[in-house]
């Protein structure tokens, strides 16, 4: 097999994909280039504006329904093919916040409703969530409980057939714009994970208030905020999964989320690598292109290894989960490795671009700002190491 004369073009060859996956990747890149490229991205990054039209275009392409079985109206993609689509979106869509919001919607609402919803809950919410008509969020984290998620303080007091929810949530992706949020709360009087339940709470429910979006460093086009639950009354139809089954709902979400949420980072890493190669070939210092300096070409080589390794690790985790049961270990390995690799690669990309990389015009600094949260959300790197150690019998 011959290699093209242009090493940058060669970088887009996904050697770890089979023919089906490679075609899916290419088709999705074409979709993103045609439908998701827009000039206002830099302004929206500054103002922190969510791109609703981009959300609708992704829904029309099927992104919000990727893994859901066909009998529930989904595209029935395997997890492997789901991560291929997300990888391609990370590569070709400039708006990392939009793709992050879609991820939060998929793993925080769509997948829990598909896996744990009653037929009535699926009828009411799943179709509109997949069609892009409703936006979903997920609220576990509280001001006093992050990594120690199950120590949450939000309470669900039984009242008649339903519950009264009281508490405060924070860092909930999509909360400022969400039509429904899956809220986790402890049933009053219980202890341990068995006492936690998940509730579908609709925007506008009396007692539910969503704050203004929190201002953050990266992923600025993905709104994130606080929720206050103050005597928020929900009926029995709001309980997602069995009463006391919230930990299972959360854990099944996390299995999908930890594997899939890093897939767009792989595409983003590849895009940044390609920019680095182009820059290293054209930027000249001391009479030659900077790519001729060994310390620069070594950075590019390390980036290439990081992209290929990350893609293989995500793909492997998805394949293990597709062939289930299990995959917890692979999901945490994937989350830990890819997020750390993405931060490292973007840090080096900025260095390679010198002062220009630090300027907003080059959009290298935005790439770094957008990936930095990945070692924190969906369980920090420290917690992934803890989980991996525990699953290895320590
Ligand atoms: C962009 C973004 C989006 C998010 N979206 C959502 C969302 O949609 N829904 C939601 O519920 N939450 C969301 N979160 C919250 C996220 O899940 C938490 O921030 C994360 O779990 C860490 O919790 P914390 O911020 O309270 O940090 P803490 O748990 O207070 O941790 C602080 C530091 O201590 C370390 N640490 C804590 N415990 C241990 C331990 N046992 N061993 C070693 N180190 C430890 C952590 O690794 C970290 O370095 C989001 C966060 C971000 C940044």
């Amino acid at each position: 097999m011959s290699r093209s004369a242009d090493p940058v073009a060669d970088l887009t060859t996904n050697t770890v994909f089979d023919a089906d996956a490679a075609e899916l990747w290419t088709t999705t890149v074409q979709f993103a280039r045609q439908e998701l490229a827009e000039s206002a991205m830099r302004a929206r990054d500054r103002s922190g504006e969510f791109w609703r039209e981009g959300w609708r275009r992704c829904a029309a392409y099927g992104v919000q329904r990727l893994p859901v079985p066909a009998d529930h109206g989904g595209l029935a993609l395997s997890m492997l093919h789901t991560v291929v689509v997300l990888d391609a979106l990370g590569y070709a869509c400039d708006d990392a916040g939009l793709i992050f919001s879609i991820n939060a919607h998929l793993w925080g609402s769509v997948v829990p409703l598909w896996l744990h919803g009653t037929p009535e809950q699926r009828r009411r919410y799943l179709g509109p969530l997949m069609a892009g008509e409703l936006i979903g969020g997920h609220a576990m984290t509280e001001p006093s409980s992050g990594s120690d998620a199950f120590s949450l303080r939000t309470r669900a007091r039984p009242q008649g057939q339903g519950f009264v929810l009281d508490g405060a949530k924070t860092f909930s992706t999509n909360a400022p714009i969400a039509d429904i949020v899956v809220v986790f709360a402890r049933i009053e009087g219980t202890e341990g994970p068995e006492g936690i339940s998940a509730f579908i709470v609709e925007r506008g429910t009396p007692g539910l208030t969503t704050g203004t979006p929190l201002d953050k460093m990266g992923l600025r086009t993905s709104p994130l905020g606080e929720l206050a639950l103050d005597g928020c009354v929900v009926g029995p139809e709001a309980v997602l999964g069995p009463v006391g089954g919230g930990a299972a709902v959360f854990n099944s979400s996390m299995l999908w989320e930890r594997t899939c949420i890093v897939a767009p980072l792989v595409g983003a890493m590849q895009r940044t690598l390609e920019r680095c190669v182009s820059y290293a070939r054209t930027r000249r210092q001391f009479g030659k292109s900077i790519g001729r300096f060994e310390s620069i070409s070594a950075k590019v080589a390390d980036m290439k290894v990081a992209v290929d390794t990350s893609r293989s690790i995500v793909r492997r985790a998805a394949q293990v989960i597709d062939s289930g049961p299990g995959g917890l270990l692979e999901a945490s390995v994937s989350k830990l490795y890819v997020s750390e690799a993405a931060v490292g690669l973007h840090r080096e990309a900025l260095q390679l671009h010198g002062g220009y990389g630090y300027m907003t015009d080059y959009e290298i600094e935005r790439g770094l700002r957008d990936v930095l949260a990945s070692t924190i959300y969906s369980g920090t790197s420290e917690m992934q190491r803890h989980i991996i150690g525990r699953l290895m019998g320590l």
Side-chain angles (χ1 to χ4, degrees):
M1 191 184 291
S2 67
R3 295 181 72 80
S4 93
D6 182 355
V8 180
D10 269 352
L11 291 170
T12 57
T13 309
N14 283 308
T15 45
V16 292
F17 291 154
D18 58 35
D20 277 355
E23 194 184 330
L24 191 57
W25 194 88
T26 307
T27 311
T28 307
V29 167
Q30 282 164 358
F31 153 73
R33 284 185 173 152
Q34 279 163 19
E35 300 285 331
L36 303 179
E38 44 102 47
S39 53
M41 180 57 224
R42 201 173 304 164
R44 286 195 295 99
D45 177 59
R46 284 216 185 95
S47 61
E49 187 192 329
F50 175 68
W51 190 30
R52 204 167 272 270
E53 178 56 27
W55 179 276
R56 288 193 198 102
R57 290 179 192 179
C58 285
Y61 186 68
V63 183
Q64 283 91 323
R65 65 178 79 227
L66 288 172
V68 179
D71 54 355
H72 295 313
L75 291 186
L77 258 60
S78 62
M79 192 189 270
L80 175 62
H81 284 167
T82 298
V83 298
V84 170
V85 172
L86 295 172
D87 178 324
L89 289 173
Y91 175 71
C93 174
D94 253 4
D95 190 342
L98 172 68
I99 305 305
F100 184 72
S101 272
I102 293 177
N103 267 272
H105 167 91
L106 273 168
W107 323 126
S109 324
V110 171
V111 163
L113 271 153
W114 153 39
L115 294 177
H116 303 280
T118 61
E120 175 53 22
Q121 287 170 337
R122 290 192 191 125
R123 191 197 59 73
R124 188 176 170 93
Y125 303 114
L126 190 54
L129 285 168
M130 292 190 300
E133 292 156 9
L134 294 183
I135 295 181
H138 171 274
M140 171 60 100
T141 306
E142 300 185 357
S144 62
S145 58
S147 301
D148 188 10
F150 290 161
S151 71
L152 80 186
R153 291 186 183 168
T154 297
R155 289 291 178 266
R157 178 165 48 83
Q159 177 179 280
Q161 301 271 298
F163 294 87
V164 184
L165 305 178
D166 283 290
K169 297 288 181 181
T170 193
F171 300 155
S172 177
T173 300
N174 295 344
I177 52 167
D179 300 287
I180 64 156
V181 180
V182 175
V183 171
F184 294 85
R186 173 171 296 292
I187 306 292
E188 205 170 62
T190 65
E191 281 176 24
E194 306 75 43
I196 293 169
S197 286
F199 299 89
I200 306 163
V201 186
E202 294 183 14
R203 171 175 295 281
T205 306
L208 170 72
T209 328
T210 50
T212 50
L214 297 171
D215 197 19
K216 56 188 176 346
M217 177 184 196
L219 298 173
R220 291 180 53 77
T221 57
S222 169
L224 165 149
E226 298 173 329
L227 292 174
L229 298 141
D230 186 9
C232 179
V233 178
V234 292
E237 69 284 353
V239 181
L240 181 60
V243 173
V249 174
F250 181 72
N251 289 338
S252 62
S253 265
M254 281 298 127
L255 186 67
W256 279 85
E257 182 167 311
R258 286 185 182 146
T259 309
C260 298
I261 209 162
V262 291
L265 300 183
V266 179
M269 287 161 77
Q270 180 169 327
R271 183 178 51 176
T272 301
L273 165 60
E274 291 176 13
R275 284 186 184 163
C276 287
V277 173
S278 295
Y279 191 77
R281 290 162 80 191
T282 51
R283 173 71 177 168
R284 294 179 70 82
Q285 289 292 287
F286 298 98
K288 52 186 173 182
S289 62
I290 59 167
R292 307 301 294 179
F293 300 122
E294 206 175 320
S295 53
I296 295 295
S297 68
K299 282 189 203 305
V300 170
D302 288 347
M303 288 179 190
K304 174 68 177 155
V305 172
V307 172
D308 284 3
T309 313
S310 297
R311 186 167 278 136
S312 298
I313 284 177
V314 175
R315 181 196 160 106
R316 177 172 152 271
Q319 280 175 316
V320 168
I321 295 166
D322 277 338
S323 58
L328 272 180
L329 179 61
E330 289 75 11
S332 279
V333 168
S334 168
K335 168 69 176 57
L336 172 63
Y337 185 85
V338 179
S339 59
E340 294 285 344
V343 170
L345 182 145
H346 283 86
R347 167 79 185 76
E348 287 297 74
L350 196 145
Q351 190 68 20
L352 184 146
H353 281 77
Y356 295 98
Y358 198 70
M359 301 299 131
T360 54
D361 267 4
Y362 274 66
E363 306 203 342
I364 292 293
E365 57 81 40
R366 174 151 57 85
L368 178 59
R369 284 191 285 110
D370 284 344
V371 298
L372 273 172
S374 65
T375 60
I376 297 172
Y377 56 66
S378 313
T380 64
S381 288
E382 290 79 6
M383 292 312 293
Q384 300 313 320
R385 288 192 172 89
H386 173 74
I387 293 168
I388 292 165
R390 211 187 56 212
L391 291 170
M392 294 183 72
L394 300 178

